[in-house]
Amino acid sequence: MRLQTLLACCFISVTLVSGSTPRGVGIETKPLDELYKDAIAEGGDLIVKAGGDEKNQRDEVIQAFRERFPKINLNLTVDLSKYHDSVIDRSFNLTGKAGADIAQLQTLQDFVRWRGEGKLLAYKPAGFDHIPDNIKDVNGFYVGTNYFLFANNFATAKLTKAEAPTEFLDYLEPRFKGKIVSTYPNDDDAALFQFFKIVQTHGWEAIFKFLNQDVQFVRGTATPIAVMLQSNNSRSVTFTSGPGFTNGSTGFFQQLPRDDFSHIVIWAQRAAIFKTAEHPAAAKLFLNFLLTKEQQVANGGFSVRDDVPPQAGLKPLSAFAGKLDPPAFERFMLNRPVVERFKLQFEQLIGTAQGISPLDDDL
């Protein structure tokens, strides 16, 4: 059964009704300098909840924003998206407010739910018309700001490009036994979706063979790279991480498959401004900043804007039609019964995720 068909037939439909769907919300026309003035006049503060599993993952964005807008006090907190959304929901329950101005998270289903609950501000930042409809809300309640791609990664000190695996079945070869490090799929939904796709393509037998490869499971999607880079560690390959395409100078290299994309996932991280935002002008400034052409280029990889070319050496995302499908992850995330059932199947096989939060593990 095709993946999309399976998700559709298992989907329990929930109708989210909001009486506040706007009409005629236009795309932002103010330049950044004017938005900056508005944010200063508002008070100059900004609270952002950003999904991630390492405290420094947004440092480059924070630095670039602060250099460009030094009078804005940006308070950006990185935590697992599934924890950020819990804190935000609890804050709504306790105070009626989100406790943040803007959220930028992996939990795509939350934005659909928050939209239906009337908790998001309809806003279309500059460049909104250059972002595909399948990674944004067409009324402006949320928008994709950057693509994450989990693909094949290998440690360049331990393997050559020719030796590294590219297809999922490569990881099942005897030479990779004891060499694989993977994020716990029952601890991260993006990794879970990768294994879900593998089952749909290759069956559970392939999963059992994979687990027999003496795989080291870790918490967090940045942790596999850190483990691979340890010189005293035999682990050298992973596909549950998305550090981006490099020239190998960082000690690792990311590459796409030749044919089999069953173990690869790509999605656009969503961002939205809450209706209860105490600093809406600063939130608008931040969202516009994220979608500038300059910041999109700085992100590397594929841009969410169709007028910004991908990183040098990469084909356009459109060239991977049928292989890289960003909306597929959203469909999976919206289907919570399937997500939770599949998560428990993996928990039964490999146990609960072990270890402290990846933000605190010093890896």
Side-chain angles (χ1 to χ4, degrees):
M1 183 179 292
R2 292 178 61 86
L3 175 63
Q4 186 170 348
T5 303
L6 179 69
L7 288 174
C9 74
C10 295
F11 186 73
I12 296 178
S13 178
V14 178
T15 303
L16 299 175
V17 180
S18 172
S20 58
T21 301
R23 295 183 180 180
V25 174
I27 296 174
E28 181 62 78
T29 57
K30 288 185 179 180
L32 285 177
D33 287 342
E34 286 192 34
L35 293 172
Y36 183 29
K37 291 178 182 178
D38 292 343
I40 294 172
E42 179 184 66
D45 290 322
L46 175 61
I47 300 174
V48 178
K49 302 294 186 184
D53 47 26
E54 291 292 341
K55 292 177 182 177
N56 63 353
Q57 279 180 333
R58 304 295 290 167
D59 282 2
E60 292 183 2
V61 172
I62 293 171
Q63 181 179 348
F65 184 82
R66 287 176 174 169
E67 288 178 354
R68 179 70 177 80
F69 311 107
K71 293 184 180 180
I72 303 300
N73 176 30
L74 171 60
N75 179 358
L76 187 152
T77 304
V78 175
D79 201 350
L80 302 180
S81 293
K82 63 183 181 180
Y83 295 158
H84 269 320
D85 64 7
S86 297
V87 172
I88 290 168
D89 284 337
R90 187 161 59 244
S91 180
F92 269 121
N93 289 334
L94 293 174
T95 70
K97 297 181 180 180
D101 300 308
I102 188 168
Q104 186 183 21
L105 306 174
Q106 171 186 298
T107 48
L108 309 187
Q109 77 279 5
D110 287 318
F111 295 92
V112 176
R113 175 172 58 84
W114 287 330
R115 178 193 63 191
E117 293 170 349
K119 293 175 178 175
L120 302 180
L121 179 71
Y123 179 69
K124 298 179 181 179
F128 189 83
D129 52 336
H130 286 287
I131 298 177
D133 287 349
N134 61 17
I135 60 169
K136 70 185 181 187
D137 177 78
V138 294
N139 290 311
F141 286 110
Y142 54 80
V143 63
T145 56
N146 56 292
Y147 281 119
F148 276 90
L149 173 71
F150 288 0
N152 304 297
N153 289 276
F154 67 92
T156 55
K158 301 173 183 178
L159 290 174
T160 66
K161 186 176 181 180
E163 294 170 330
T166 58
E167 320 305 292
F168 173 72
L169 295 182
D170 293 344
Y171 290 88
L172 307 186
E173 295 178 5
R175 63 194 178 100
F176 289 117
K177 188 165 187 174
K179 307 294 184 183
I180 305 168
V181 55
S182 170
T183 302
Y184 278 102
N186 47 321
D187 195 40
D188 184 280
D189 283 352
L192 185 72
F193 184 49
Q194 291 178 279
F195 285 91
F196 181 84
K197 290 175 60 187
I198 291 167
V199 171
Q200 303 314 309
T201 303
H202 299 289
W204 277 104
E205 226 17 75
I207 297 295
F208 299 147
K209 290 179 181 178
F210 178 79
L211 297 180
N212 284 332
Q213 289 289 72
D214 183 26
V215 179
Q216 179 182 350
F217 285 100
V218 297
R219 294 198 64 197
T221 59
T223 309
I225 299 297
V227 171
M228 281 167 34
L229 293 180
Q230 295 173 336
S231 59
N232 61 346
N233 194 314
S234 65
R235 308 292 165 170
S236 57
V237 296
T238 187
F239 55 80
T240 61
S241 193
F245 295 94
T246 74
N247 58 11
S249 61
T250 53
F252 61 86
F253 194 89
Q254 185 177 56
Q255 58 182 342
L256 290 168
R258 295 182 302 274
D259 301 303
D260 179 14
F261 281 69
S262 65
H263 60 303
I264 309 300
V265 62
I266 185 172
W267 78 94
Q269 199 87 330
R270 300 295 197 271
I273 301 172
F274 291 104
K275 272 187 178 180
T276 61
E278 295 184 11
H279 316 103
K284 291 176 181 179
L285 173 65
F286 186 73
L287 197 52
N288 279 272
F289 165 77
L290 292 177
L291 293 175
T292 60
K293 290 183 178 181
E294 294 76 15
Q295 188 56 37
Q296 288 293 304
V297 171
N299 288 341
F302 302 105
S303 171
V304 296
R305 292 182 59 134
D306 62 16
D307 57 346
V308 174
Q311 181 177 324
L314 282 179
K315 297 177 182 178
L317 188 56
S318 58
F320 298 93
K323 295 181 176 180
L324 292 177
D325 180 18
F329 182 55
E330 181 176 23
R331 293 193 296 269
F332 178 72
M333 293 292 275
L334 284 169
N335 194 342
R336 301 318 293 175
V338 166
V339 171
E340 297 305 320
R341 185 162 63 249
F342 198 69
K343 188 180 298 182
L344 290 175
Q345 288 180 350
F346 257 92
E347 187 170 302
Q348 185 275 322
L349 288 172
I350 63 177
T352 57
Q354 300 298 305
I356 62 175
S357 166
L359 280 82
D360 299 320
D361 60 9
D362 297 327
L363 288 176

